[in-house]
Amino acid sequence: GAVVSQHPSRVICKSGTSVKIECRSLDFQATTMFWYRQFPKKSLMLMATSNEGSKATYEQGVEKDKFLINHASLTLSTLTVTSAHPEDSSFYICSARKGGSYEQYFGPGTRLTVT
Amino acid sequence: AQSVTQLDSQVPVFEEAPVELRCNYSSSVSVYLFWYVQYPNQGLQLLLKYLSGSTLVKGINGFEAEFNKSQTSFHLRKPSVHISDTAEYFCAVTYGGSQGNLIFGKGTKLSVKP
């Protein structure tokens, strides 16, 4: 149990376009979902926290207008990178947490390459 | 500020040797501690966790960790490593009373050589 999927696993897009990444909890309801960014050979950097039905809470330094997060249901959160630039190329990982639990379950990640 | 320190960025070790990956956290009244493993181009997989109870925690793949409150440490150990254990290992902490956000260490690259 507690499986989290991400789609797509890899995406290449042109500079200036937008790309959407989906994060789904497959066998549980996730009251909270998290979005992380991981640079090569670096740790995970929390970008934002989203609770179902409410606006996401962004970490300091993360542009909310550039990284749009929607948590429309208890099993789905989306991250949209708008007007992507090459510096947005990175590995994006989501995680999901059940209500009342401290444990996060991680998705397999999405490799975004902006050309 | 709350923080997690993984003192070793890289740990090379020979196959079948024991290994210890170190993790220290900034002190707090209540903490919940996790170790995750990440294989190349993959997400994070939970190895083990400490929420309460016994300070010695056993996880998957033969790993274990000990919560030491006085030393604010949660070191990960394995008595005999395999080539397949080569990966990046992350220690993470959630502090009680917070929103439950995980604070990650910078990771330790474990390289197991034949």
Side-chain angles (χ1 to χ4, degrees):
Chain A
V3 179
V4 176
S5 70
Q6 276 184 247
H7 178 79
S9 57
R10 289 178 173 271
V11 58
I12 300 173
C13 70
K14 292 187 176 181
S15 187
T17 63
S18 296
V19 62
K20 180 185 287 188
I21 303 170
E22 292 186 349
C23 176
R24 293 182 185 272
S25 56
L26 299 184
D27 52 3
F28 67 99
Q29 293 187 327
T31 53
T32 307
M33 287 186 166
F34 303 83
W35 286 96
Y36 296 86
R37 180 173 179 177
Q38 187 177 32
F39 294 97
K41 301 186 188 298
K42 297 288 185 182
S43 187
L44 279 71
M45 180 192 79
L46 179 65
M47 298 175 67
T49 304
S50 72
N51 292 294
E52 185 265 339
S54 61
K55 289 184 178 180
T57 301
Y58 289 81
E59 294 300 300
Q60 191 172 11
V62 178
E63 299 177 59
K64 60 180 66 177
D65 293 330
K66 181 168 186 61
F67 298 100
L68 301 179
I69 292 172
N70 184 278
H71 191 166
S73 77
L74 285 171
T75 59
L76 173 65
S77 176
T78 60
L79 167 67
T80 301
V81 183
T82 63
S83 186
H85 291 283
E87 56 265 32
D88 298 325
S89 298
S90 194
F91 194 53
Y92 292 88
I93 304 176
C94 75
S95 71
R97 189 177 71 197
K98 303 175 186 177
S101 170
Y102 281 103
E103 186 171 348
Q104 294 182 26
Y105 303 93
F106 286 82
T110 297
R111 173 74 60 191
L112 170 63
T113 302
V114 184
T115 60
Chain B
Q2 296 159 341
S3 64
V4 178
T5 302
Q6 289 183 247
L7 292 167
D8 307 302
S9 60
Q10 296 187 54
V11 173
V13 64
F14 287 106
E15 194 174 18
E16 298 183 4
V19 71
E20 178 181 81
L21 306 183
R22 295 180 292 172
C23 174
N24 289 87
Y25 61 93
S26 54
S27 180
S28 179
V29 175
S30 61
V31 292
Y32 306 98
L33 298 146
F34 305 84
W35 274 99
Y36 290 91
V37 60
Q38 185 181 34
Y39 299 100
N41 296 309
Q42 294 187 28
L44 273 66
Q45 180 182 8
L46 180 68
L47 276 177
L48 48 79
K49 61 187 176 187
Y50 171 79
L51 302 179
S52 65
S54 174
T55 56
L56 182 62
V57 180
K58 293 188 182 298
I60 62 171
N61 301 343
F63 284 93
E64 64 179 34
E66 186 160 16
F67 169 57
N68 188 320
K69 188 173 183 179
S70 62
Q71 297 186 6
T72 60
S73 68
F74 191 55
H75 301 331
L76 181 71
R77 302 185 184 99
K78 186 170 182 177
S80 176
V81 295
H82 301 288
I83 298 287
S84 59
D85 292 323
T86 295
E88 190 86 26
Y89 291 80
F90 293 97
C91 180
V93 177
T94 293
Y95 289 89
S98 71
Q99 293 185 20
N101 293 353
L102 280 173
I103 300 172
F104 282 90
K106 292 187 176 181
T108 298
K109 169 69 175 179
L110 175 65
S111 299
V112 182
K113 304 175 181 180

